[in-house]
Amino acid sequence: MQTDPRLHRDRDALVEQAVRFSGLAPNIIVKIPATKVGIAAIEEAAYRGVSINATVSFTVPQVVAVGEAIERALDRRAADGLPEQEFGHVVTLMAGRFDDWLKTVVGRDHVLVDPGILEWAGVAAVKQAYRVFRERGFRSRVLVAAFRNALHWSEFQGGDLVVSPPFQWTKDINDNAFPWRPDAIDDEVPAHVLDALRAATPEFARGYDVDGMTIDEFDRFGATVTTLRQFLDADAKLDALVRDIVVPAA
């Protein structure tokens, strides 16, 4: 269940809504944005027993910050003697939206680059995040979302992560008989691709390097702003639809 995007600046409201959603059924996972306020809400909600899906998340610094917040929450639960349970926490990295943002930036800045290079940005970020999660022993898992190309499936095969392709992508991948590579997750993104991405725009390093952004910078990252605006716009359109049903025009 998705927390209300209008609450993205209110930690306590996000936590209370997450706890309420979590109590509706035994198999609920609650989406909270990986913004500065959202990460604080994630930590408190996870401590209070909510299964988390971090969303509005596009970069390695964001998912690592969320992973650390969930670790703190789980350690607090253990220290306070709260029951151990399987939460299934996942930390989304919207790979395709990272690609989208870099494409927007190079277009805005009139940077000419092999367009195929830009299809690798989200792949590189996911692989980097996956390595960090394993090295640090995080008890949450990376979740890949926002498919834009088949690499967002083929490059993550064999990984202990969650991949959530839309139905049509799943059908197209099956229909095209994409090969199975059981260790694809461990394959390095070619060095020349990473070099080209770094050369194209500093926005790639902000999203790829573990220390590319501070938590205070998350809210103004281009993909975050764009996605929050889309979520808020969708909410406003739903409000308008309900208004027109409840109070139809004269």
Side-chain angles (χ1 to χ4, degrees):
M1 298 190 72
Q2 173 81 54
T3 49
D4 190 332
R6 294 171 297 183
L7 304 179
H8 73 276
R9 294 182 295 179
D10 188 331
R11 188 204 80 139
D12 292 344
L14 286 171
V15 171
E16 292 306 316
Q17 188 172 63
V19 170
R20 179 164 61 85
F21 285 166
S22 180
L24 294 176
N27 62 340
I28 298 292
I29 192 166
V30 181
K31 301 176 76 172
I32 300 177
T35 57
K36 180 178 180 179
V37 168
I39 291 171
I42 285 169
E43 179 174 345
E44 180 60 24
Y47 169 74
R48 291 171 61 174
V50 177
S51 293
I52 298 295
N53 179 351
T55 186
V56 192
S57 180
F58 322 90
T59 68
V60 177
Q62 283 177 289
V63 298
V64 170
V66 172
E68 291 173 340
I70 291 173
E71 289 301 305
R72 291 192 297 269
L74 294 175
D75 289 344
R76 286 170 55 200
R77 285 183 61 85
D80 291 345
L82 295 173
E84 293 185 11
Q85 63 189 80
E86 172 57 50
F87 288 106
H89 298 304
V90 291
V91 186
T92 296
L93 200 158
M94 303 175 84
R97 285 181 178 258
F98 186 37
D99 294 351
D100 293 346
W101 173 239
L102 296 190
K103 292 172 186 176
T104 296
V105 170
V106 299
R108 180 197 69 195
D109 297 343
H110 305 286
V111 176
L112 296 181
V113 60
D114 178 349
I117 294 293
L118 298 172
E119 301 296 327
W120 282 91
V123 170
V126 170
K127 286 177 178 279
Q128 173 85 317
Y130 182 76
R131 283 193 293 269
V132 174
F133 271 52
R134 289 174 67 85
E135 288 168 0
R136 300 190 184 184
F138 288 167
R139 286 166 281 183
S140 52
R141 291 194 294 169
V142 175
L143 184 151
V144 183
F147 267 54
R148 297 293 185 271
N149 60 64
L151 296 173
H152 294 159
W153 175 77
S154 63
E155 286 298 315
F156 309 135
Q157 294 170 3
D160 182 20
L161 43 67
V162 180
V163 181
S164 60
F167 171 78
Q168 190 60 52
W169 271 108
T170 301
K171 185 175 186 306
D172 290 348
I173 288 166
N174 288 336
D175 289 348
N176 284 272
F178 259 68
W180 170 247
R181 294 157 50 215
D183 300 317
I185 187 64
D186 297 321
D187 292 346
E188 299 286 344
V189 174
H192 77 275
V193 172
L194 296 177
D195 290 343
L197 287 166
R198 289 187 185 278
T201 171
E203 290 294 277
F204 173 70
R206 294 183 73 202
Y208 176 78
D209 294 338
V210 175
D211 58 354
M213 285 189 288
T214 67
I215 194 169
D216 291 323
E217 296 177 283
F218 292 169
D219 292 19
R220 297 308 303 167
F221 186 65
T224 303
V225 173
T226 300
T227 302
L228 275 176
R229 287 179 60 87
Q230 290 173 344
F231 283 8
L232 289 165
D233 184 57
D235 188 87
K237 288 178 179 176
L238 177 61
D239 286 345
L241 174 65
V242 173
R243 177 205 62 201
D244 290 343
I245 293 173
V246 174
V247 186

